[in-house]
Amino acid sequence: MKKALLFIASGIILASCSKTEIEQAAVTSPVDELDMKIVYYLTGDGEDVETPTEGGTVLMGGSTDVDAAFEWMIDRSGGGDFVVIRVTGEDGYNQYIYDMGGLNSVETIVINTVSSANSMGVYNRIINAEALFIAGGDQWNYVNIWKGTLVEDAINYLINTKHAPVRGTSAGEAIMGDGYFDAMNGTVTSEGALNNPYKDRVSIQYDNFIENPWLKNTICDQHYIGREGRHLTFMARLSTDYGITVKGIGVDEETAACIDEDGHVQVFGINNAYFCRQTNLAPEGCVSGHELTWKRGEQAVTVYKVPGTLTGDNTFELSDWATGSGGTWGYFWAFKGEFHSTF
């Protein structure tokens, strides 16, 4: 394992891999005026390779990781360089991912300041990746530090230009949608959100961060059991505030929804993924200081619940949000702050 500090100065990034080894790792821009220390961890070959990639998105619900979802990404990476980005933490994923085989390298970059998020060196390392993983943590850190920076540009480049697989787990999943709960004021329970959709902890943003065409007008939630009510509230807010026909994806722990470039979803793991779409009309009552009512004949949001399997046999199609296999159709709704489900 190599632990390195990136020193950004004099127009280059130097990677200090040991007391005696100093090598040029990437090229930066003259706009990097401040010297910075950016911690990264490398496993495998430090020489960049270019391999053919296939686009894809992985939404992981958190807790124990799903090996099959990483293998799905590795296959789509063409065996290139796999980059993990995070705000806190160390190299816990490097050896785990590398040992799955078939990769040139795995690298973790800790990007914990706006200055480091605007480093051209960091940007280059991300865009040169053949697969990207946004680790768990606190999504407010990701929003507060990465949104509006070169890191945001690099993520969107991988998704929309290079068409490389990108994965988010837990907080990393939370920021993947067009709409997202930013946790600026801390987390919120289902009960708290349903009792007042506009309380300060229900902090929602829309259409200003990660640009994934399959997650347009969609908000994601994770660690999903017990959070269905808050996810319904997040959807209600987007529908009310922005006038959109909103969609949502919720993923349980130890489960991953893997979306290919055609919008075909396979669900891997031991629990469920939920594909939710506004059935027709916006909420009857989504007002500050009042309990949420979104009933619409007890069919406010149409849901397809898909059990995960080890081989991803059960599926859903984001191309029409109406076709799936191996799952069950049902509804979510709320009446005077009480969440209801047909499941």
Side-chain angles (χ1 to χ4, degrees), residues 139 179-183 187-189 193 197 201-204 219-222 227-242 246-247 286 292 294:
Q139 65 256 39
Y180 57 95
F181 168 59
D182 65 22
T187 193
V188 65
T189 64
R201 285 183 175 248
V202 187
S203 183
I204 304 294
I219 188 163
C220 303
D221 208 356
Q222 65 287 342
R227 289 184 168 180
E228 301 96 327
R230 80 171 199 174
H231 193 213
L232 180 70
T233 305
F234 299 163
M235 293 178 65
R237 280 284 307 275
L238 288 174
S239 178
T240 300
D241 295 353
Y242 299 100
V246 67
K247 300 183 288 290
C286 185
L292 175 67
W294 194 6

Side-chain angles (χ1 to χ4, degrees), residues 191-204:
E191 181 182 7
L194 288 161
N195 283 338
N196 180 3
Y198 288 88
K199 69 182 299 180
D200 61 353
R201 285 183 175 248
V202 187
S203 183
I204 304 294

Side-chain angles (χ1 to χ4, degrees), residues 248-272:
I249 300 175
V251 185
D252 284 340
E253 295 180 353
E254 301 183 64
T255 306
C258 297
I259 309 165
D260 73 12
E261 66 274 21
D262 297 318
H264 175 71
V265 187
Q266 293 175 267
V267 181
F268 295 93
I270 64 173
N271 292 309
N272 301 284

Side-chain angles (χ1 to χ4, degrees), residues 10 25 71 84 97 106 140 142 149-150 174 214 223 225 262 280 288 321 332 341:
S10 304
E71 292 163 355
V84 181
I97 298 172
V106 180
W140 175 242
Y142 298 156
T149 71
L150 291 177
W214 290 116
H223 306 283
I225 294 298
D262 297 318
N280 192 355
S288 178
W321 280 81
F332 290 167
S341 166

Side-chain angles (χ1 to χ4, degrees), residues 109 114 134 170 203 211 215 225 241 255:
I109 312 174
V114 173
I134 305 171
S170 190
S203 183
E211 300 170 1
L215 300 178
I225 294 298
D241 295 353
T255 306

